[in-house]
Amino acid sequence: MRISVIGGTGDLGSALAARLAAVGHEIWIGSRDPAKAEAFVKTVEHGGTGRLFGAGLADAAGRCDVCFLTVPYEAHARTLEQIREAVQGKIVVDATVPLKPPKVGTVQLPAAGSAVMEARQLLGEGVRIVSALQNIGAEKLGADTTPDAEVLVAGDDAASVEVVRELLAELGFKSWHVGPLPNSAAAEALTSVLIQLNRRYKLGQAGIRITGGVKKKPALQVFPVEGLPMLAPGDDLAAAIAGALDQSGVKLEAGDVVVTAQKAVSKVEGRFARLAEVAPSAAAREAAAKSGKPAAVAELILSEAREVMRVADNLIIVRNRSGQVLANAGIDASNVAPGNGDDDEQVLLWPQDPNESARRLRAALEAHAGVKLAVIVSDSLGRAWRMGTTGSAIGAAGIRPIRDRRGEKDLFGRELKATVIGVADEIAAAASLVMGEADEGVPAAVIRGAVYEASDQADISELIRPLDQDLFR
Ligand SMILES: NC(=O)c1ccc[n+]([C@@H]2O[C@H](COP(=O)([O-])OP(=O)(O)OC[C@H]3O[C@@H](n4cnc5c(N)ncnc54)[C@H](OP(=O)(O)O)[C@@H]3O)[C@@H](O)[C@H]2O)c1
């Protein structure tokens, strides 16, 4: 779009012109002195695709579809007279605040009600006038960031208001149509209030934001715990998680579930094994020959297993010492720093007791946050009859891992007879959506709003189907 900024050599206008050019618009800066404007546009840096041109006031205004007016109030009427003919039929966006120095911190609206009502009188009915931007500081507009302030837009012609609001949205501003042009008086007056606030509270450039009624909390929230350092044996995982949460401004609330990747827990617990140091047994060599896995890895898998369920190509499925059925006893080398050559290869085992790991983490995180929490240690497990892994709970504290809904009523009042939900797995799966599997580097997440039964005694054993109920053996 072709846009003129009358007064674009000044503080507000130049910031506006640069921002509009950055999103690709053609900008004509109008000045009392065309040569000044032409020289000025060469100095504007914006990093976008839009081009800038300099011209006299009427010349710039006449070339464009939308004309922003950003001159001091003392120059307002004079400037409007100069562009009146050129802007007939066009949209004029007036940002003028009727400030009368030196008392700029005191509201002094003109007799017509506001600067923009004076503009309407001066320009006549043929111009579509919109009022905007009085409450956005030039510095804020010029900054290379999403502005943390909103814009009040007044105007009688809804279509023109929408054109202006779309332009503002392109610049990253949320804006509000606050009603007909006379309502601009409130925005114009507000500037003196913001100037007072800047002075009294050293706010830099105060802005406004419109709030609604009580915001409904989302039913479920998932916060990734980002910025954790590389973990090593002996590190304090709870302190690392608490520190990262503090950094990202997430304050743990009562009932939150902190889900931690098994890898992070295993690393701080030093569950590394050097393959060169493992002496494979005969059984391990046999499983290795059948599966194609290195014998040392097969040995480690068997050492974690209570029972070997299946051996297949590159796969040894076991029931581990806590009764969990999983591939390769959860041992792998992904996200483990490589060693110094083949002989030095390291793998990572599951924590010795994932429930105990969860209990320790819970106690430390609760001490930090001062609220009751639950902790789940999770890993990505395959499902026997479905493709793809999902985040699953392998250790838990503070939460009953199943939610027994038997006895509750369905929508039609019928009693639920068999509904038992593996809520700890569901929470682990939700967390895994933000934790990732590869190089995301997010080894923990906080789940807020999940419905579960808190328990100081329960652990993951409730989630494991007793052998006598296993119909596939
Ligand atoms: N600065 C802000 O943070 C801010 C925020 C919101 C709203 N506003 C409003 O936006 C308008 C512009 O503010 P600003 O701070 O950008 O003003 P400014 O820098 O003082 O002036 C803007 C331009 O207006 C022209 N001008 C200045 N004095 C003039 C005069 N006596 N007669 C004719 N033209 C004159 C000049 O352009 P040429 O010499 O090239 O003609 C100047 O570069 C004001 O109404 C202000 O209240 C400002």
Side-chain angles (χ1 to χ4, degrees):
M1 191 186 282
R2 278 184 163 187
I3 299 169
S4 58
V5 183
I6 304 301
T9 55
D11 292 341
L12 187 73
S14 59
L16 177 65
R19 231 179 154 114
L20 286 166
V23 293
H25 293 290
E26 180 179 317
I27 308 300
W28 284 79
I29 285 187
S31 166
R32 290 167 295 179
D33 175 0
K36 175 184 173 187
E38 281 167 30
F40 180 77
V41 294
K42 297 199 178 92
T43 67
V44 179
E45 290 175 6
H46 57 77
T49 54
R51 295 183 64 197
L52 289 114
F53 303 91
L57 299 173
D59 188 10
R63 288 174 187 271
C64 301
D65 315 306
V66 174
C67 170
F68 281 87
L69 185 61
T70 61
V71 294
Y73 181 58
E74 60 164 332
H76 189 233
R78 206 166 46 245
T79 309
L80 286 166
E81 274 161 18
Q82 287 177 262
I83 63 168
R84 179 168 47 211
E85 291 311 317
V87 294
Q88 290 303 312
K90 299 182 176 179
I91 297 174
V92 169
V93 189
D94 197 352
T96 306
V97 182
L99 298 177
K100 296 189 188 110
K103 292 201 146 205
V104 293
T106 301
V107 177
Q108 299 179 69
L109 293 173
S114 64
V116 83
M117 292 307 282
E118 291 183 327
R120 185 158 82 174
Q121 283 172 9
L122 280 162
L123 293 178
E125 294 298 318
V127 178
R128 296 182 281 156
I129 305 180
V130 175
S131 143
L133 286 173
Q134 292 86 353
N135 308 132
I136 301 295
E139 234 174 80
K140 206 165 243 178
L141 192 58
D144 198 14
T145 51
T146 304
D148 64 340
E150 296 174 357
V151 183
L152 306 182
V153 184
D156 299 333
D157 174 30
S160 306
V161 166
E162 283 319 304
V163 170
V164 175
R165 292 189 61 222
E166 271 171 37
L167 281 174
L168 291 168
E170 280 184 58
L171 304 188
F173 284 101
K174 185 173 174 74
S175 70
W176 303 84
H177 184 188
V178 296
L181 220 43
N183 287 3
S184 171
E188 293 175 30
L190 196 56
T191 298
S192 294
V193 174
L194 297 176
I195 290 170
Q196 288 285 354
L197 296 177
N198 286 336
R199 286 180 187 158
R200 279 166 205 266
Y201 303 103
K202 312 271 176 281
L203 295 179
Q205 291 219 325
I208 59 153
R209 195 179 292 291
I210 304 299
T211 61
V214 179
K215 225 179 176 179
K216 221 175 143 210
K217 246 184 157 182
L220 186 80
Q221 290 171 285
V222 183
F223 305 97
V225 181
E226 287 168 307
L228 257 77
M230 266 305 196
L231 296 164
D235 283 353
D236 184 341
L237 181 57
I241 292 174
L245 286 172
D246 284 346
Q247 282 285 313
S248 55
V250 177
K251 201 170 174 315
L252 285 172
E253 293 180 7
D256 282 353
V257 185
V258 179
V259 180
T260 313
Q262 160 269 322
K263 284 238 163 71
V265 177
S266 292
K267 281 182 182 176
V268 299
E269 293 183 3
R271 297 282 290 153
F272 293 97
R274 279 186 196 289
L275 296 187
E277 292 168 7
V278 177
S281 61
R285 276 198 293 273
E286 192 185 319
K290 230 170 146 185
S291 64
K293 285 201 163 295
V297 174
E299 173 59 35
L300 291 168
I301 293 170
L302 296 193
S303 71
E304 292 282 295
R306 193 188 286 170
E307 181 186 357
V308 176
M309 313 288 293
R310 276 282 190 285
V311 181
D313 187 26
N314 201 28
L315 197 62
I316 303 176
I317 297 177
V318 300
R319 181 184 304 283
N320 76 0
R321 77 176 83 81
S322 57
Q324 312 205 43
V325 175
L326 74 167
N328 306 323
I331 296 171
D332 70 45
S334 61
N335 284 322
V336 176
N340 308 317
D342 283 355
D343 291 348
D344 194 34
E345 205 189 325
Q346 292 194 101
V347 292
L348 196 60
L349 278 62
W350 265 19
Q352 189 69 33
D353 180 351
N355 286 316
E356 183 52 31
S357 307
R359 277 192 286 274
R360 276 199 303 268
L361 262 175
R362 179 185 179 219
L365 285 167
E366 283 187 348
H368 174 84
V371 292
K372 293 289 261 182
L373 301 167
V375 167
I376 289 173
V377 178
S378 73
D379 196 4
S380 302
L381 301 186
R383 290 92 39 84
W385 285 276
R386 297 177 84 86
M387 299 303 288
T389 62
T390 58
S392 305
I394 67 161
I399 175 174
R400 270 198 75 190
I402 57 159
R403 187 167 167 227
D404 190 348
R405 305 201 68 179
R406 287 174 296 186
E408 292 182 35
K409 298 275 192 291
D410 74 2
L411 275 179
F412 302 99
R414 284 187 295 259
E415 194 176 299
L416 300 176
K417 296 262 191 272
T419 309
V420 177
I421 293 164
V423 68
D425 278 343
E426 290 187 331
I427 292 172
S432 75
L433 291 174
V434 299
M435 284 158 63
E437 283 297 305
D439 58 359
E440 290 86 345
V442 179
V446 176
I447 306 286
R448 181 165 299 160
V451 179
Y452 66 88
E453 190 183 325
S455 164
D456 288 331
Q457 286 77 40
D459 65 22
I460 216 69
S461 56
E462 278 189 48
L463 207 52
I464 292 164
R465 188 179 294 282
L467 288 182
D468 60 8
Q469 289 179 25
D470 183 346
L471 304 181
F472 294 90
R473 287 177 75 81

